[in-house]
Amino acid sequence: MTKFILPAAVAALAVLAAPAAVFAAESSQSVRAATDAAAGSVAINAGKMLYSSNGQRVAAIYRVTADGNPQVILNGKLVTVPASTLSDVNGKVTTSLTKIELGRAK
């Protein structure tokens, strides 16, 4: 009888852990899909220039976070730009925020 307890316990744990693993995979996929949908067809890469909606150059994109938000160095401060504010205007990565608004970001 004791020979079956260990395999039964392992099987029970596997059944309990499987939904958590599936949920984690679905969550990360849905986050990525939401980020991609928010960013649309904007190609966000480190080194590309970020422009404000009035066409003014803001700064070069320093890096892109795991959730798809570009980061720029503005006035010596690392600023994260929300991906939801980005669009592609004539092949340029453009944010709906102004340079002043980005400078005030915390």
Side-chain angles (χ1 to χ4, degrees):
M1 182 81 169
T2 59
K3 292 180 183 180
F4 297 107
I5 293 175
L6 183 60
V10 170
L13 287 175
V15 169
L16 293 175
V22 169
F23 178 74
E26 288 176 356
S27 295
S28 64
Q29 288 174 353
S30 63
V31 168
R32 175 52 85 189
T35 302
D36 291 344
S41 62
V42 180
I44 306 169
N45 297 322
K48 286 190 89 172
M49 187 58 64
L50 177 68
Y51 293 86
S52 64
S53 58
N54 63 1
Q56 182 183 12
R57 287 174 43 159
V58 175
I61 297 172
Y62 177 67
R63 66 180 171 199
V64 180
T65 64
D67 55 350
N69 296 322
Q71 293 181 323
V72 296
I73 297 175
L74 191 60
N75 300 328
K77 186 169 80 170
L78 186 65
V79 177
T80 302
V81 181
S84 60
T85 67
L86 300 178
S87 61
D88 185 349
V89 178
N90 298 327
K92 298 178 181 177
V93 179
T94 306
T95 179
S96 60
L97 302 173
T98 65
K99 191 172 185 177
I100 294 171
E101 290 172 331
L102 289 171
R104 292 181 187 155
K106 293 183 180 181

